[in-house]
Amino acid sequence: MDYFHDENHVTDPYLTMTLNLDLTQARSEYENSYKAVEGASFQAYLVWNLSRALQKEWTFSTRNIDGTWYLFNNLPIFTPIAVGGDLRFKDVIIENSTELSWIEFAQAYRNEINNKNARLEILPQKVWALCPFIGNLPNMNFTSFQVHRNRLKTGRPLFYFGQRAQTADSLFVPLSISIDHANADPFVLDRLISSFQSYLCNTIH
């Protein structure tokens, strides 16, 4: 809806919320069926399945470019990786993520982590602003987290995973989500989370 990109009416079109996501069954599925793959990590498993859920729920693949909405197929995934030192983070772009098998994705993700050529701003701003943003703050146990937004209002979603917490026999993670109300809302977000959980738990692979 163009109304939410009209600054005469709305200064910030993004809705932000933090969910406490239950990963108990997902972790079990990962340990039993996916962990043995070379280069595998549970965070890679989360990113792989979230990218697939974003592709399945098509509204999250729409982007606004210069006032016109477009539907994209298989956008690159942007995920910043903590490297420490003066740089702190490096930019990682995973191409063709929804077409990669788990073996291919796990290796691509691991290769990017191990890449010594840490860099920022790999892509031009107008391209970077189209990519779904999936970050990870494994040492931060937040209950609410809001990501700053680009001045380009493209409609891309932004996600940040926090520190996982084990409670009795359950595993949870805070997940900060920012969605543009011009192309998404809590109703379609609920479908996205349902698809994400289904992929994680191997019910719709």
Side-chain angles (χ1 to χ4, degrees), residues 63-74:
R63 297 292 183 272
N64 188 302
I65 302 175
D66 296 329
T68 300
W69 287 94
Y70 299 88
L71 176 61
F72 287 85
N73 183 42
N74 199 14

Side-chain angles (χ1 to χ4, degrees), residues 68-87:
T68 300
W69 287 94
Y70 299 88
L71 176 61
F72 287 85
N73 183 42
N74 199 14
L75 283 162
I77 297 296
F78 171 80
T79 176
I81 301 293
V83 295
D86 293 337
L87 190 62

